[in-house]
Amino acid sequence: MIKNIKNMKYIQLGILTIAWLGFSSCERDFLDRPAKDQVEAEFFFNTAKDLEVATNNFYSILQTTEVYRDDAASDNIMPLSPNNRIRGNRIVPTAKGSGGWSWGDLRDINYFLENYHQVDDEAAKAHYGGVARFFRAYFYFEKVKRFGDVPWYGKVLAANDPDLYKPRDSRQLVMDSVMRDIDFAIANIPAEKTLNRISKYTAILLKARIGLHEGTFRKYHKISGYEPFLEAAVEAAEQLIASRAYTLFTTGGPTEAYRNLFARDNQDAVETILAADYERGLRTHNDINQSMTSPTFGAYGINKDMINSYLMKDGSRFTDKSNYQTVGYLEEFQNRDPRMAQTTAPPDFTVIGETRPEPVTLAGTTTGYRVIKALLDRDQWMLAHFDLILFRYAEALLILAEAKAELGTLNQADLDRTINLLRARVDMPPLNMAAANANPDSYQEAHYLNGVAGPKVPIDAANKGVILEIRRERRIELFNEGHRWDDLMRWRAGKKLEQPIVGIYFPGVGSYDFTGDGVADVYVYSGSSAGAPPTVTSMIDIQQRTLRDPLTGNGSATSGNLDPFPLGGSFDEERDYYYPIPLEDLNLNDNLEQNPYWK
C-alpha cells in the first residue's frame, strides 16, 4: 500500500529553516513546518518526528528539474546555446566550494548521524538512519563521478580538526564506504511504496545504479576491481525485480504508454519509484517545457544520430538502409520503434489535451527534431506543475542486462526478462542475443570507440553485439532523464562528443511536405523567401541555419542536415573525464592535488 503523507510531500511550498548546530540555515523548500532557531542537538533529537523533520531537510540534495536538462549538455540534445562541457570550455573555478566541490550537505548528514541515536524509538532510528545513509551514499556517488578521488568524511569536523587539511582518499576507500552506506539503507528503510519519499526500493535502485557506473567506469578506464561492483549491480537489480513491487507502465498501449508515463500531472507507483511532487499554485517549474518549445530560451533539438538509432518496427536497423543518411523527415518516421514518435514530434504530432495536430514548427528546435517526452498540455509550457520522475523501474531492467553482459554472464533468459520487456511495452520484436553477437552494429560501434589516448579497452568481443544493443536500448529508453553524460564517461567514450551533432536532412532549397497531406509545410531558401507557398508554417534560411553534407561532412552546403553546432564538440581524453577542484580550496589545503591536466 502506498504511504500517503499529505503534509510531508517530497517537494512542497512550505519552507523549513533548521539552524541548530551542524545544520545550515539556508532555506529548504521540502516541508511545510515552522522554522526552528538555534536548537541544540540534545533538545532536538527526542522523537521520531524530529528524525523525520531532520531527514526531510536532505531532499534538497536530489536533482529535480536538472535531471531533465542534463541531456542538453550531452550528445543527445543540442540547445540554442551549446553547453561548455560539450564545447570543451570548462575552466578551473576560483571560489572555494564552487564547481561542485561543496560539503555543506555532507556536514548536515553527518551531524544527524552523530545524534539520531538519542531517540528511544528503535524503528524510527532504523528508518531515518537508513534515509540519512542513503543520502550520504548519493552525495558521495555524485562527488566521485565528478572528481574521482575525494576525501571521505564520516564525522562532523570541528574548526581545528586536522582532517580539514587531509588529502583525497582513495577511490576504493570512498566507494567501499558508499556501498556500506547504501547496504545499511536497504537493510533498515521499511519496504513501503512511498512515491515522494526515499524507500527501500529507491535505495535498491540507487545501489544498482552505483554498482553499474563504478563497475563499468573501472573496466573501461583500466582501474582494478570492477567485478565486485558489477556483481553488486546485478544483486540489487535482481532484488528489486524479485520484490514484484513495480512493473512497467502500459496505460495507452504501445503507441501511447511511453509518452503517457511522463506526460501526466501526477505520478503513481506502478513504474515510478521516486518522483518530485509539484502542484498548481504550490510548487511549479518553468524551464523544462519552455526549453522544448521556446525559440529563444532553449530550442532543444534531438541529434540525428539519436534518431538514426531507433530500430525499424520489424526490429531491423534503420542504418542498414542504403539511403539512411539522406532520408527525409516524413519517410524516416515510417515503421519505426514507437518510442521515436513518443519522444520527438512525428508528422501528426498532437499536443497533450488537444485533438488537432500541431502545425509543423521548426523555429523552436535547433535540429528540427522537437523533444516531446515530458511535454504536457500547452498551459504548462511556461509554468508547469507536473511531477518529475527521478527513479523508475525500467532502469533496473537495463542495469541488470548491462551488468551481466559486461560480466560475461548474460543469457537469452536474462534478456527476455529485461530488455525484451521494454520492447514488448511498445510492441517491438525481442532482442536475440545470438543474432546480435553474430552481427554487431557497426553504426553503434562507431559511437563508442572509447579512448584515443593510450591503450584502448575494447568491448568484449564475445558479447560486443549484445552490449551495443543494450547501449542502444538504454539511450532510447532513458533519453532526457539525465543519464547520457554519465554513460559516455563510464564507457570512456568522451570522444563521441566530437562527432557531428546535426538535424533533419534537406536535399536542397524548396518546399517540403512534412505531414504527408500533399501540402507544403516547410520552405527552405537561401537569402530570399520569395515564392514560399502560403501553407508553409516553418521557414529555414540556410544562410542563417546552415547545412552539413552527411556524405562529405562539409558545412555551408546547399543540401544536407541542419547544422546547429558547426564548430563541433571538443573533449580532452586525458583531462575531461573529471572536473577541476577550485583554486581557493587547493590554496587552503596544501594536501589536495588538482585533477590531471587541469592547470
Side-chain angles (χ1 to χ4, degrees):
M1 183 175 183
I2 301 173
K3 187 176 181 182
N4 185 15
I5 310 177
K6 291 291 186 183
N7 65 331
M8 303 292 281
K9 285 186 175 180
Y10 170 56
I11 298 182
Q12 278 275 29
L13 177 66
I15 295 175
L16 174 68
T17 303
I18 299 181
W20 32 295
L21 180 61
F23 276 98
S24 63
S25 60
C26 61
E27 289 185 343
R28 307 285 189 177
D29 46 10
F30 288 86
L31 299 172
D32 51 356
R33 186 168 171 96
K36 292 182 177 293
D37 295 318
Q38 302 301 326
V39 180
E40 297 290 346
E42 62 183 295
F43 299 112
F44 185 83
F45 289 103
N46 293 312
T47 68
K49 178 60 69 176
D50 292 340
L51 301 185
E52 182 181 14
V53 168
T55 54
N56 281 328
N57 202 45
F58 303 151
Y59 280 79
S60 61
I61 297 172
L62 295 174
Q63 292 185 333
T64 53
T65 56
E66 299 92 338
V67 168
Y68 291 82
R69 296 199 309 268
D70 196 73
D71 269 18
S74 77
D75 65 327
N76 273 354
I77 295 174
M78 177 50 56
L80 194 61
S81 299
N83 188 274
N84 278 334
R85 74 182 185 189
I86 299 296
R87 296 163 61 195
N89 284 353
R90 283 180 285 174
I91 61 173
V92 179
T94 298
K96 65 179 180 179
S98 61
W101 191 266
S102 55
W103 303 89
D105 289 328
L106 177 63
R107 190 176 196 280
D108 293 351
I109 296 168
N110 283 339
Y111 186 82
F112 175 91
L113 290 171
E114 287 185 2
N115 290 282
Y116 82 104
H117 295 286
Q118 296 173 194
V119 174
D120 290 334
D121 188 328
E122 295 300 322
K125 285 195 292 187
H127 181 176
Y128 295 109
V131 170
R133 298 280 282 271
F134 170 94
F135 279 109
R136 190 165 67 181
Y138 181 94
F139 175 92
Y140 263 110
F141 176 47
E142 293 297 316
K143 283 288 185 288
V144 170
K145 283 195 298 180
R146 194 173 184 88
F147 298 105
D149 294 349
V150 292
W152 173 265
Y153 296 116
K155 63 179 181 178
V156 176
L157 299 179
N160 59 351
D161 195 314
D163 280 351
L164 284 169
Y165 306 101
K166 74 174 185 174
R168 297 197 268 182
D169 288 303
S170 70
R171 188 182 189 110
Q172 189 68 48
L173 182 150
V174 174
M175 291 309 301
D176 285 348
S177 300
V178 165
M179 297 305 277
R180 283 194 295 271
D181 271 353
I182 201 62
D183 282 339
F184 183 96
I186 292 169
N188 287 279
I189 302 175
E192 297 174 301
K193 293 176 69 174
T194 53
L195 182 62
N196 305 132
R197 315 304 299 166
I198 299 301
S199 68
K200 178 187 292 288
Y201 305 112
T202 322
I204 294 170
L205 184 49
L206 179 60
K207 179 180 180 179
R209 183 185 292 182
I210 292 170
L212 179 69
H213 187 282
E214 185 65 11
T216 50
F217 191 96
R218 286 173 178 244
K219 181 175 182 178
Y220 288 105
H221 289 260
K222 303 186 72 174
I223 301 172
S224 64
Y226 75 86
E227 295 93 343
F229 288 97
L230 289 178
E231 289 163 358
V234 169
E235 182 269 333
E238 292 275 23
Q239 183 180 359
L240 184 57
I241 293 168
S243 74
R244 298 181 180 274
Y246 298 90
T247 188
L248 295 179
F249 179 87
T250 57
T251 301
T255 60
E256 297 182 8
Y258 182 75
R259 184 182 180 192
N260 289 346
L261 173 61
F262 301 91
R264 49 186 175 153
D265 276 354
N266 298 303
Q267 287 296 321
D268 56 35
V270 175
E271 178 173 344
T272 305
I273 297 173
L274 180 69
D277 181 72
Y278 291 84
E279 292 187 18
R280 185 193 298 269
L282 292 177
R283 178 71 177 176
T284 58
H285 51 91
N286 66 354
D287 52 351
I288 297 175
N289 281 183
Q290 191 176 356
S291 295
M292 301 178 188
T293 56
S294 170
T296 57
F297 181 77
Y300 280 8
I302 301 178
N303 186 1
K304 182 65 163 69
D305 72 39
M306 169 78 183
I307 299 298
N308 289 345
S309 294
Y310 287 93
L311 296 170
M312 301 300 294
K313 188 66 179 66
D314 62 5
S316 62
R317 302 164 184 161
F318 174 72
T319 51
D320 282 350
K321 291 178 172 291
S322 59
N323 65 336
Y324 81 91
Q325 292 178 305
T326 56
V327 170
Y329 172 84
L330 181 60
E331 182 182 349
E332 70 182 337
F333 269 90
Q334 306 308 308
N335 301 312
R336 302 294 291 278
D337 181 334
R339 284 172 295 187
M340 179 170 154
Q342 298 175 67
T343 301
T344 187
D348 60 347
F349 170 59
T350 303
V351 176
I352 295 291
E354 301 181 7
T355 56
R356 298 181 63 183
E358 175 88 345
V360 175
T361 306
L362 303 185
T365 167
T366 59
T367 65
Y369 298 109
R370 296 178 61 182
V371 180
I372 64 168
K373 178 176 174 178
L375 179 65
L376 273 74
D377 54 276
R378 202 178 300 271
D379 289 343
Q380 298 198 55
W381 286 10
M382 294 297 290
L383 192 63
H385 48 79
F386 62 92
D387 296 349
L388 300 179
I389 300 173
L390 305 183
F391 287 79
R392 65 183 178 102
Y393 180 64
E395 185 185 351
L397 303 182
L398 290 161
I399 289 171
L400 181 59
E402 184 179 351
K404 296 200 75 172
E406 294 288 1
L407 285 168
T409 61
L410 183 75
N411 57 41
Q412 185 62 45
D414 294 323
L415 289 177
D416 291 341
R417 62 195 179 101
T418 56
I419 299 299
N420 289 336
L421 294 181
L422 297 174
R423 291 193 174 189
R425 167 162 49 188
V426 291
D427 196 26
M428 282 289 289
L431 171 61
N432 181 276
M433 183 172 175
N437 283 333
N439 184 23
D441 186 352
S442 59
Y443 182 84
Q444 292 297 314
E445 185 177 9
H447 290 171
Y448 308 117
L449 297 175
N450 48 28
V452 296
K456 299 178 183 179
V457 179
I459 297 173
D460 294 337
N463 276 331
K464 178 192 293 185
V466 77
I467 287 174
L468 290 171
E469 292 305 316
I470 291 169
R471 290 184 183 185
R472 180 204 307 272
E473 195 72 25
R474 183 176 175 89
R475 188 182 189 188
I476 289 170
E477 181 69 27
L478 298 182
F479 170 81
N480 206 26
E481 294 179 56
H483 295 276
R484 182 61 174 176
W485 175 268
D486 288 344
D487 287 347
L488 294 178
M489 296 303 100
R490 65 189 177 87
W491 295 330
R492 200 184 171 195
K495 283 294 181 180
K496 170 66 173 67
L497 301 168
E498 296 184 351
Q499 295 180 16
I501 297 178
V502 297
I504 290 175
Y505 177 79
F506 293 103
V509 298
S511 303
Y512 292 90
D513 174 11
F514 268 39
T515 61
D517 61 358
V519 176
D521 307 292
V522 178
Y523 188 65
V524 179
Y525 63 97
S526 179
S528 172
S529 61
T535 56
V536 164
T537 55
S538 280
M539 310 269 280
I540 294 176
D541 183 354
I542 61 173
Q543 292 186 14
Q544 298 177 355
R545 300 182 69 176
T546 58
L547 305 179
R548 179 189 292 262
D549 188 307
L551 301 178
T552 67
N554 295 330
S556 302
T558 56
S559 65
N561 302 91
L562 286 175
D563 189 14
F565 191 29
L567 294 179
S570 178
F571 190 87
D572 187 327
E573 186 74 15
E574 295 180 313
R575 183 194 69 185
D576 287 343
Y577 286 107
Y578 298 116
Y579 278 74
I581 298 172
L583 295 176
E584 286 186 358
D585 285 293
L586 293 171
N587 291 333
L588 288 169
N589 182 358
D590 290 338
N591 291 313
L592 281 180
E593 293 184 5
Q594 183 62 278
N595 274 324
Y597 301 98
W598 284 103
K599 302 298 184 182

